[in-house]
Amino acid sequence: MSTPPRRTPAPAGPARPAGVARRVPGTSAPRVPTQRGPRRAAVAGGPSITLLNRRRTVLVVVVALLLTVFSGRLVWLQGVQGQAMAAEALESRLTKATLVASRGQITDAEGEVLATSVDRYDIEANQRLIRTWSAKVDGTTYTGAAGAAQLLAPVLDANVAELGAKLDGDKGFVYVAKNVLPEVWQAVAELRINGITASQVADRVYPNGNLAGNLLGWVNAEGTGATGVEAVLDGELAGTPGSTTYERGRGGQQIPGGYQESTPAVDGRSVQLTINADIQWKAQQAIEQQVAATGADSGSIVALNTKTGEVLAIADSRTVDPNDPGKTQDLWSGSSAVSDVFEPGSTAKVITMAAAIETGLVDPYSQFEVPYQYTTPNNQTFKDSHEHAGLRLTTTGILAESSNTGTVMIGQNIPQQVRYDYLSKFGFGARTGIELPGESPGILHPSDDWDGRSKYAVLFGQSLSVTALQATEVFATIANGGTRIAPHLVAGWTEPDGTYTPAEAPEATQVVSPETAATVLSMMESAVDEGTGSAAAIPGYRVAGKTGTAQSWRADGSQGISASFIGVAPADDPAIAVSVVLHNPRTSEWGGTVAAPVFSEVAGYALTELGVAPSGTQPELFPTTW
């Protein structure tokens, strides 16, 4: 095996002087000397490493600062403000709704419902949510306001275009429909349209239409009693609304398991009135028919329980249907029987006779020669309604024949202040306190203010004014043995749990003695059997009463006439007092002609309805003449 030849190193040339460059082979140019090794590396790399280190330091500091800030913020949010922020977030998701209290019922004395409340719903829309809503129903896609309207219109029985206009917009709340039935809202809810919600409300319903509408009044859109019993007793009937607060999702739906807190509503109390719905119906029908038949401006009928003061009926010829009060010309019209005043006329002679007998001035047998025209000591002349020759009448006869001159002859001997006192004790000039709005106290001027004529005119029902209720109360007082009991409408209250509490009985006031009351009652019976009130007779029952005709004033300020009859039955054991008043009848101005027959009809019906037995005795009447 051969070995490669050894390369013999070239002999060394002469040494180059320092600083002399080596020449590059094949060229005449010398080679430039270069620097090598550590010295060159230090010069080139030193600045780069320093900059890098500085950048790293800055980055670490920045990161450390950010972490410190974030950590501090996290500690602040979770440790210091955590509960407040959580509460604020929860608050933004909470919805508060009112829980409607059920308004108490109004019933008659027999428990028949006259007013009640039923559940209804107000359907509402959030236009902003509906704008982004979309759903597929039976293969068809519905979107936005137009799609929602297409689904809702058939359920709400609404026009699609009009409904779409309601749903289209940028409002968070608009009403879609009000007072819809529960089943209608259920059908709407099943459509699951995001943005459609409902609020429960209570709708007031009066099952008997305008029956006793003048007494019941009505409830306004806010659920508050506007007039009548609904207004006077609103605080008891309305109850106290409750509330519920719950956590909602984006679509307004309640979050299952979320926050919820409720305060229950407290339902209102139910009131039982003293009126009898059947008697009220009969009275209302009768007065409407008689007003139409006589061409009267208006009229009223009042029926009272003589033993308790309970109102059995108050009927007015003009009444409101509480279900639709807007159809009535005067929305605020209540009962004219408690608000309108008129001169009672001859029905007030009953008070004069009671005062004269009670003070011992006369008895039912006292004899008088009664002229057609009579002049008082102060030169005031009074006349009877019909011209006649001198009549030989007893005190009873003067009342039965309704003689103005005879009444003045008796009453002029009653001291002036005593006349006022008896008028006042029988209730004139003061409100009865009945549970109805707008009651008038009537007009009874102080006796010191009476002029020379008025002090005699008050003896036969002029120069003073009363309501139909006040006038009826006088006869109820005589029928109740001279004891006055304020007329009232409330029989009792039923709590939401069903507990019934009778109303407190009104205070009784003895106005005249039982003996005086019995005497006057018998004298009034003669007025029906032998006098001006014969058309008020009721077959099978003894009736005591008095006719009345007096001046009144029309709405336009002109003078008119009020014709009336007020009576008691049965006279042997009084159960009811009934008044019939007609204002400005055109067919006749006499109460015995236009009012007495209506009394017979209504009082006879009431006696049968109440189960009052017919009279079992024949009257022993005082003589009317001598």
Side-chain angles (χ1 to χ4, degrees):
M1 180 175 188
S2 62
T3 60
R6 272 186 174 176
R7 178 178 296 178
T8 305
R16 293 190 303 274
V20 179
R22 179 182 294 178
R23 184 165 40 90
V24 178
T27 69
S28 60
R31 180 182 296 176
V32 180
T34 61
Q35 293 181 344
R36 300 182 181 182
R39 179 180 177 83
R40 183 181 175 209
V43 173
S48 298
I49 293 174
T50 301
L51 181 60
L52 180 60
N53 288 338
R54 287 179 180 175
R55 288 176 177 173
R56 287 175 179 172
T57 301
V58 171
L59 181 61
V60 170
V61 172
V62 171
V63 171
L65 288 174
L66 288 174
L67 290 175
T68 301
V69 171
F70 290 156
S71 298
R73 184 61 176 169
L74 184 62
V75 171
W76 174 260
L77 294 178
Q78 291 187 344
V80 179
Q81 285 194 324
Q83 291 184 347
M85 294 186 66
E88 184 178 349
L90 177 61
E91 183 68 25
S92 68
R93 299 191 303 273
L94 293 181
T95 291
K96 186 173 183 179
T98 299
L99 299 178
V100 179
S102 179
R103 191 174 181 86
Q105 290 186 335
I106 302 176
T107 67
D108 82 336
E110 302 298 323
E112 181 174 344
V113 176
L114 302 175
T116 189
S117 294
V118 294
D119 288 339
R120 294 289 185 267
Y121 289 86
D122 288 344
I123 299 178
E124 305 137 1
N126 183 323
Q127 294 175 339
R128 293 191 290 269
L129 292 177
I130 291 176
R131 188 170 52 196
T132 60
W133 166 82
S134 177
K136 182 175 286 188
V137 180
D138 297 332
T140 302
T141 300
Y142 298 87
T143 58
Q150 286 182 293
L151 293 176
L152 286 170
V155 180
L156 298 176
D157 192 23
N159 178 275
V160 175
E162 293 177 356
L163 187 56
K166 283 185 179 180
L167 300 177
D168 186 30
D170 196 40
K171 295 180 180 179
F173 178 91
V174 293
Y175 280 114
V176 177
K178 287 188 174 184
N179 289 328
V180 303
L181 295 170
E183 52 266 31
V184 174
W185 162 239
Q186 182 62 34
V188 170
E190 290 174 356
L191 295 174
R192 299 184 180 279
I193 300 174
N194 189 22
I196 296 294
T197 57
S199 298
Q200 183 180 353
V201 295
D203 189 28
R204 199 63 163 170
V205 177
Y206 303 86
N208 298 294
N210 70 352
L211 180 71
N214 56 323
L215 306 180
L216 300 176
W218 48 279
V219 173
N220 61 24
E222 288 71 38
T224 303
T227 187
V229 169
E230 293 276 28
V232 174
L233 306 181
D234 185 70
E236 300 289 341
L237 293 168
T240 305
S243 65
T244 181
T245 303
Y246 62 88
E247 197 172 354
R248 70 184 186 280
R250 292 185 61 186
Q253 77 281 5
Q254 184 173 352
I255 299 176
Y259 177 87
Q260 183 176 6
E261 183 179 9
S262 297
T263 300
V266 179
D267 292 341
R269 304 169 76 194
S270 293
V271 63
Q272 183 178 40
L273 301 183
T274 60
I275 68 171
N276 181 296
D278 291 332
I279 298 175
Q280 177 72 28
W281 167 82
K282 182 62 177 179
Q284 194 166 313
Q285 179 192 56
I287 195 62
E288 288 175 352
Q289 290 177 347
Q290 190 67 348
V291 165
T294 61
D297 292 347
S298 62
S300 64
I301 294 178
V302 177
L304 301 178
N305 182 318
T306 58
K307 294 180 172 64
T308 64
E310 294 175 338
V311 174
L312 301 175
I314 296 181
D316 297 280
S317 57
R318 297 190 301 264
T319 190
V320 63
D321 182 351
N323 294 299
D324 192 5
K327 287 186 176 180
T328 303
Q329 185 176 4
D330 182 2
L331 287 180
W332 304 102
S333 61
S335 172
S336 63
V338 302
S339 61
D340 293 357
V341 298
F342 59 96
E343 289 189 344
S346 295
T347 58
K349 292 173 182 174
V350 170
I351 298 177
T352 300
M353 296 303 173
I357 291 172
E358 182 80 355
T359 56
L361 290 177
V362 295
D363 60 37
Y365 303 97
S366 299
Q367 301 173 350
F368 297 87
E369 290 190 5
V370 181
Y372 161 66
Q373 183 172 294
Y374 180 76
T375 300
T376 62
N378 68 341
N379 205 33
Q380 298 295 318
T381 301
F382 299 94
K383 299 177 182 180
D384 277 343
S385 59
H386 297 85
E387 188 171 351
H388 60 79
L391 300 175
R392 302 175 71 180
L393 300 176
T394 64
T395 304
T396 302
I398 290 174
L399 181 64
E401 295 299 329
S402 196
S403 171
N404 293 337
T405 57
T407 303
V408 171
M409 292 171 67
I410 294 174
Q412 65 184 348
N413 296 315
I414 302 174
Q416 187 166 318
Q417 183 60 42
V418 176
R419 302 175 205 178
Y420 174 89
D421 291 342
Y422 274 92
L423 290 167
S424 178
K425 286 194 292 183
F426 272 99
F428 287 6
R431 294 179 178 87
T432 67
I434 193 169
E435 304 91 338
L436 287 174
E439 183 184 15
S440 171
I443 301 173
L444 177 61
H445 297 296
S447 60
D448 290 343
D449 295 340
W450 291 346
D451 59 25
R453 187 171 185 82
S454 293
K455 66 180 181 179
Y456 295 105
V458 296
L459 296 170
F460 53 88
Q462 294 183 8
S463 295
L464 53 82
S465 294
V466 298
T467 66
L469 181 63
Q470 289 174 322
T472 313
E473 185 185 16
V474 172
F475 286 71
T477 299
I478 293 295
N480 193 38
T483 301
R484 179 181 168 219
I485 301 176
H488 55 282
L489 269 173
V490 175
W493 294 93
T494 300
E495 305 297 331
D497 64 4
T499 303
Y500 178 78
T501 304
E504 185 176 349
E507 183 179 353
T509 303
Q510 194 72 38
V511 177
V512 294
S513 67
E515 294 76 19
T516 295
T519 298
V520 175
L521 185 65
S522 181
M523 292 167 62
M524 290 195 301
E525 197 169 359
S526 293
V528 175
D529 279 16
E530 302 178 23
T532 58
S534 59
I538 302 173
Y541 295 92
R542 290 168 54 183
V543 175
K546 184 70 187 73
T547 57
T549 299
Q551 295 177 347
S552 65
W553 300 97
R554 294 186 173 94
D556 61 5
S558 62
Q559 187 173 326
I561 290 292
S562 292
S564 62
F565 180 89
I566 309 176
V568 173
D572 48 332
D573 185 15
I576 60 173
V578 177
S579 68
V580 179
V581 181
L582 291 163
H583 299 293
N584 302 312
R586 270 62 173 185
T587 57
S588 173
E589 64 181 30
W590 307 115
T593 302
V594 297
V598 181
F599 167 89
S600 176
E601 178 185 358
V602 174
Y605 179 91
L607 292 170
T608 301
E609 178 66 27
L610 297 173
V612 178
S615 298
T617 60
Q618 293 297 318
E620 296 181 2
L621 301 178
F622 299 120
T624 58
T625 60
W626 55 279

